[in-house]
Amino acid sequence: MSRIADAFAGGKAFIVFLTAGDPSGDKTVEYILAMEEAGADLIEIGIPFSDPTAEGIVIQEANIRALNGNMTTDGVFEIVRKVRKKSQIPLVFMTYLNPVFHYGYEAFYTKCEELGVDGIIIPDLPYEEKGEMSHIADKHGVDIISMIAPTSRQRIQMIAKEAKGFLYVVSSMGVTGVRNHIETDISSMIASIREVTDLPAAVGFGISTPEQAAAMAAVSDGAIVGSAIVKLIETYGDKAEEALKTYVSEMREAVRNC
């Protein structure tokens, strides 16, 4: 069983995101391990990029802080190396096509395999074009995680049929960020997915409270939180460990008890 499958094996999964290098590489390692201790089942690591088109202002600013701190793709790989010395938690990169393309597909996925990166999410990689790199990722055991937005039933099923790792179900149209209300009919999206695959499907975009996390996990296989985590790191800087552990523990309990 893969590490990603392990994340969902014990019940509903609570997945968290943070931006590598915000506030520093060493703190990113510390915060990943702290969130695992608090109950996170899978960690998404954002590779900083100058034009993160799917991100709202909170994660955009985290990208800027990380880039201003000279975080690079190799620096992110070094973060993974340090985490892997202490943990086997599932790790998934979240990035954009440009950094992967410029690193070189073969070199990038070889490094992922070497260091134990389990998957990658690339929001600006269209489903129709993923073939240009999917065979390379497959060769190195890295799942390209598909994102499914609230679009037509036909497109949802087309993407879901070929998905690997888990499905990232986007709760709302637009960019990432905390939302007061999530109005998308997630249940119908999950029902469409279940007609073609049993792959785990977790919901992200806009989730920040235990109530929202529980509601989304109740109709899917888990909840994903990004902007709320990044906001805590922005607020507490290099002293965010305890705040992150408290938040992740509360959110994970809500997800598991939904």
Side-chain angles (χ1 to χ4, degrees):
M1 184 179 291
S2 71
R3 279 186 290 250
I4 290 177
D6 284 344
F8 294 89
K12 308 285 186 175
F14 181 56
I15 299 170
V16 299
F17 166 93
L18 80 174
T19 301
D22 180 33
S24 69
D26 286 344
K27 283 296 174 181
T28 301
V29 173
E30 178 184 316
Y31 294 164
I32 289 171
L33 297 173
M35 290 192 290
E36 179 186 19
E37 182 184 341
D41 296 295
L42 184 151
I43 308 283
E44 295 177 6
I45 303 174
I47 299 177
F49 180 50
S50 57
D51 189 23
T53 53
E55 313 299 354
I57 188 65
V58 171
I59 297 177
Q60 285 181 27
E61 290 180 347
N63 275 260
I64 292 169
R65 290 192 297 271
L67 291 171
N68 286 343
N70 299 316
M71 181 53 58
T72 63
T73 302
D74 278 327
V76 181
F77 279 127
E78 184 59 25
I79 287 169
V80 174
R81 186 188 302 278
K82 290 177 179 177
V83 170
R84 281 287 176 247
K85 289 180 179 179
K86 298 183 177 181
S87 171
Q88 289 301 307
I89 190 169
L91 297 176
V92 171
F93 280 154
M94 181 133 180
T95 188
Y96 291 82
L97 189 55
N98 186 283
V100 183
F101 175 79
H102 281 284
Y103 202 92
Y105 295 156
E106 183 65 39
F108 184 89
Y109 287 111
T110 297
K111 199 81 168 177
C112 286
E113 181 181 22
E114 173 193 335
L115 298 177
V117 177
D118 303 291
I120 186 168
I121 303 164
I122 307 177
D124 62 343
L125 176 64
Y127 166 81
E128 291 79 6
E129 297 176 18
K130 72 174 186 175
E132 69 178 68
M133 71 162 69
S134 61
H135 63 290
I136 302 174
D138 288 347
K139 180 175 70 172
H140 293 289
V142 181
D143 292 328
I144 296 180
I145 309 299
S146 297
M147 302 182 84
I148 292 186
T151 53
S152 72
R153 177 190 179 99
Q154 181 179 6
R155 186 165 180 80
I156 287 172
Q157 294 187 334
M158 178 180 70
I159 295 171
K161 278 181 184 178
E162 297 184 11
K164 295 183 178 180
F166 72 95
L167 282 158
Y168 190 126
V169 179
V170 178
S171 71
S172 309
M173 299 300 285
V175 297
T176 59
V178 172
R179 288 168 171 79
N180 292 327
H181 302 287
I182 297 173
E183 298 178 355
T184 302
D185 184 358
I186 299 296
S187 295
S188 67
M189 292 177 67
I190 299 297
S192 292
I193 290 168
R194 287 290 164 257
E195 290 181 15
V196 297
T197 182
D198 292 327
L199 200 70
V203 183
F205 275 51
I207 298 171
S208 63
T209 68
E211 293 76 18
Q212 289 174 329
M216 294 300 100
V219 295
S220 70
D221 299 300
I224 305 166
V225 174
S227 293
I229 295 286
V230 175
K231 189 67 178 176
L232 282 174
I233 294 172
E234 177 187 353
T235 300
Y236 293 97
D238 61 4
K239 296 179 174 61
E241 179 177 349
E242 290 307 315
L244 288 171
K245 287 169 71 173
T246 298
Y247 179 75
V248 169
S249 178
E250 291 174 353
M251 294 291 280
R252 201 253 192 180
E253 183 178 1
V255 167
R256 285 298 175 94
N257 294 332
C258 66

